[in-house]
C-alpha cells in the first residue's frame, strides 16, 4: 500500500500483511535508459524515481511498480536488492531482509552499499 512516508518526504510503500525474512517483495520496474538519457531527463528536475542497474538506469518516474515508493535509508533497512535472471534477462528484485509486521514501511539502500562511493540516483546533480 502506498501512502505518506514515515521515513522521509513524499510517498512510502507499506506492507499489507506480515512478511517473512527472505520473501520476494517484487520487481523494481521502469523504462530502461542510458546514463546520457538519465542526465537529460533529470536536468532541472526535483525528485525522480530512477535507479542504476548495471550500466543502464531504470526510470520508474512515469510508470513502474509500487516498489518505486520504497523509502531510502543508509542503514537499518528491512529490504535489499537482488539481481535475478528470468528467461535470460536480468531483473532488479527487492527481498525482505527482516520479518515485518503488517503496516511496516519498506526501505532499502538506493546506493547499494557504501554511501561515499555510490551516487544517490534521485539527485541528478550528483551524476
Amino acid at each position: 500500500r502506498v501512502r505518506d512516508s514515515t521515513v522521509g518526504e513524499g510517498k512510502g510503500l507499506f506492507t499489507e500483511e506480515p512478511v517473512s525474512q527472505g520473501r520476494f517483495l517484487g520487481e523494481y520496474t521502469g523504462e530502461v535508459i542510458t546514463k546520457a538519457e538519465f542526465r537529460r531527463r533529470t536536468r532541472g528536475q526535483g525528485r525522480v524515481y530512477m535507479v542504476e542497474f548495471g550500466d543502464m538506469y531504470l526510470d520508474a518516474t512515469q510508470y513502474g511498480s509500487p516498489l518505486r515508493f520504497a523509502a531510502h535509508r543508509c542503514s537499518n533497512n528491512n529490504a535489499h536488492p537482488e539481481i535475478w535472471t528470468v528467461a535470460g534477462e536480468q531483473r532488479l528484485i527487492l527481498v525482505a531482509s527482516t520479518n515485518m509486521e503488517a503496516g511496516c514501511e519498506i526501505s532499502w539502500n538506493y546506493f547499494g552499499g557504501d554511501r561515499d562511493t555510490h551516487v544517490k540516483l534521485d539527485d541528478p546533480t550528483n551524476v
Side-chain angles (χ1 to χ4, degrees):
R1 175 171 307 257
V2 176
R3 64 177 196 245
D4 289 340
S5 177
T6 60
V7 174
E9 299 176 16
K11 299 293 182 185
L13 183 64
F14 296 79
T15 60
E16 294 183 337
E17 59 188 40
V19 173
S20 299
Q21 181 179 358
R23 181 174 167 185
F24 167 85
L25 297 174
E27 179 182 358
Y28 189 101
T29 60
E31 182 182 1
V32 178
I33 61 173
T34 64
K35 186 172 189 173
E37 182 62 13
F38 167 81
R39 287 182 176 166
R40 188 190 72 74
R41 290 183 184 188
T42 57
R43 193 172 296 123
Q45 297 296 312
R47 184 165 300 275
V48 296
Y49 298 97
M50 298 188 200
V51 296
E52 191 170 9
F53 185 58
D55 60 351
M56 305 298 281
Y57 290 77
L58 292 175
D59 180 355
T61 305
Q62 296 300 316
Y63 66 89
S65 71
L67 289 175
R68 67 184 172 168
F69 297 109
H72 165 72
R73 284 188 187 154
C74 292
S75 60
N76 298 319
N77 292 297
N78 53 24
H80 65 273
E82 293 183 2
I83 296 177
W84 292 5
T85 301
V86 178
E89 293 187 14
Q90 290 188 325
R91 307 287 183 174
L92 181 61
I93 305 299
L94 283 187
V95 176
S97 299
T98 63
N99 293 326
M100 293 181 252
E101 297 179 10
C104 181
E105 185 166 9
I106 298 170
S107 67
W108 62 298
N109 186 342
Y110 296 170
F111 299 101
D114 180 0
R115 184 181 178 120
D116 294 330
T117 60
H118 289 80
V119 174
K120 185 172 183 181
L121 298 175
D122 66 354
D123 183 354
T125 62
N126 287 333
V127 176

